[in-house]
């Protein structure tokens, strides 16, 4: 496997090759497909987002994870969805390119929650905003230690 997504993670059309599995999001009726190595980050984030920011299991089924594809609008950059290291939550409410789709008080909460789980929020992008989008911002070699530290923090 020699393909990598935009954030440097292994990517593949073959989901099994990169450990893509479906994970239930605690507290919701949603399951997200993501890479096993980062599932504690993405699923844990989605559960807290559901509880603290806004429900993800109401209305349209618009919560996504793994999808082998290019970054929208490019032909040479594999999306982080291609490595199972990105999720989109409530995508129809927070459309690509739209700004201000969250209640203003929820923005700092979303940013803090993303940071807690080692994620980057698409609403913080400098150019085209993507407020539905959350992606792993940690390099593969650091994820295991980050997850252990997060588990210790959550246990206290």
């Amino acid at each position: 496997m020699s393909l990598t997504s935009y954030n440097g993670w292994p990517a593949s059309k073959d989901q099994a090759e990169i450990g893509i599995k479906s994970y239930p999001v605690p507290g919701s009726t949603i399951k997200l497909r993501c890479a096993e190595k980062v599932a504690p980050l993405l699923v844990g984030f989605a559960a807290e987002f559901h509880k603290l920011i806004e429900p993800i299991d109401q209305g349209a089924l618009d919560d996504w994870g793994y999808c082998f594809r290019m970054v929208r609008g490019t032909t040479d950059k594999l999306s982080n969805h291609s490595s199972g290291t990105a999720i989109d939550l409530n995508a129809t409410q927070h459309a690509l390119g739209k700004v201000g789709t969250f209640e203003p008080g929820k923005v700092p909460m979303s940013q803090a929650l993303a940071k807690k789980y080692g994620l980057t929020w698409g609403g913080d992008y400098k150019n085209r905003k993507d407020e539905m989008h959350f992606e792993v911002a940690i390099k593969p070699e650091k994820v295991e230690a980050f997850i252990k530290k997060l588990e210790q923090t959550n246990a206290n």
Side-chain angles (χ1 to χ4, degrees):
M1 165 181 25
S2 61
L3 297 174
T4 57
S5 61
Y6 197 66
N7 62 356
W9 281 78
S12 179
K13 288 181 184 180
D14 179 357
Q15 297 176 45
E17 184 178 18
I18 56 171
I20 301 298
K21 296 182 179 176
S22 184
Y23 297 90
V25 176
S28 79
T29 59
I30 298 296
K31 288 184 178 182
L32 293 172
R33 290 185 323 141
C34 61
E36 184 175 21
K37 289 181 179 179
V38 298
L41 302 177
L42 294 174
V43 174
F45 171 82
E48 286 200 57
F49 181 96
H50 173 74
K51 181 179 177 182
L52 302 172
I53 308 299
E54 59 189 32
I56 60 173
D57 61 357
Q58 297 178 359
L61 182 57
D62 60 352
D63 307 291
W64 308 309
Y66 171 82
C67 178
F68 189 82
R69 64 174 179 78
M70 296 294 169
V71 171
R72 301 279 186 229
T74 73
T75 58
D76 62 343
K77 296 176 189 165
L78 277 175
S79 166
N80 295 332
H81 290 281
S82 298
S83 59
T85 60
I87 56 174
D88 293 337
L89 300 177
N90 292 335
T92 56
Q93 296 172 30
H94 309 294
L96 178 63
K98 300 287 184 189
V99 178
T101 63
F102 282 93
E103 294 177 30
K106 300 288 184 172
V107 170
M109 291 171 61
S110 295
Q111 291 166 319
L113 197 56
K115 183 177 180 180
K116 173 183 177 181
Y117 283 92
L119 308 180
T120 296
W121 176 46
D124 286 332
Y125 288 172
K126 299 278 186 248
N127 296 314
R128 180 182 66 187
K129 304 291 184 182
D130 193 1
E131 294 189 353
M132 72 177 95
H133 184 84
F134 300 88
E135 64 190 30
V136 173
I138 304 167
K139 296 296 177 199
E141 58 273 8
K142 296 192 176 192
V143 165
E144 192 174 319
F146 190 92
I147 290 171
K148 284 181 183 175
K149 182 179 176 185
L150 182 64
E151 288 170 348
Q152 290 171 346
T153 301
N154 285 345
N156 295 331

